[in-house]
């Protein structure tokens, strides 16, 4: 399948979900999320325009993951636990 134009790619929910899932898989496996995003950022900075959308999705997903981690860490144990 040919790559979609950037403006259309933002509206491709299947592609976005696939990229989000890639980062969630790294999280669930206990991998280094920051290293994954940094590697993607370096590739984009080096001129790999094909990964620009991936970087956009991963940065957004990383922020979401960090918020969830904070909420889980700050959550108090239920009474009686």
């Amino acid at each position: 399948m040919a790559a979609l134009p950037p403006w259309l790619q933002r509206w491709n929910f299947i592609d976005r979900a696939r990229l989000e899932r890639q980062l969630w898989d790294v999280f669930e496996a206990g991998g280094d999320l920051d290293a994954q995003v940094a590697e993607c950022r370096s590739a984009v900075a080096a001129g790999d325009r094909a990964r620009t959308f991936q970087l956009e999705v991963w940065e957004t997903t990383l922020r979401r993951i960090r918020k969830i981690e904070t909420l889980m860490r700050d959550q108090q144990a239920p009474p009686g636990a």
Side-chain angles (χ1 to χ4, degrees):
M1 178 185 243
L4 297 172
W7 63 269
L8 184 57
Q9 199 171 30
R10 282 187 172 70
W11 295 102
N12 185 342
F13 299 111
I14 294 170
D15 202 27
R16 180 175 291 273
R18 181 184 56 78
L19 291 170
E20 288 175 355
R21 186 73 235 165
Q22 288 174 350
L23 203 60
W24 276 104
D25 287 344
V26 172
F27 171 72
E28 290 171 356
D32 188 347
L33 297 172
D34 294 311
Q36 288 289 119
V37 174
E39 185 274 325
C40 186
R41 188 177 296 119
S42 295
V44 171
D48 188 353
R49 295 289 175 227
R51 295 186 68 185
T52 303
F53 180 64
Q54 179 184 24
L55 178 60
E56 179 184 324
V57 172
W58 278 13
E59 286 178 334
T60 302
T61 304
L62 181 61
R63 283 192 298 273
R64 266 191 228 128
I65 291 170
R66 294 301 185 220
K67 284 181 186 178
I68 290 169
E69 284 178 326
T70 301
L71 288 172
M72 291 175 69
R73 191 175 332 129
D74 294 344
Q75 189 178 49
Q76 294 181 1

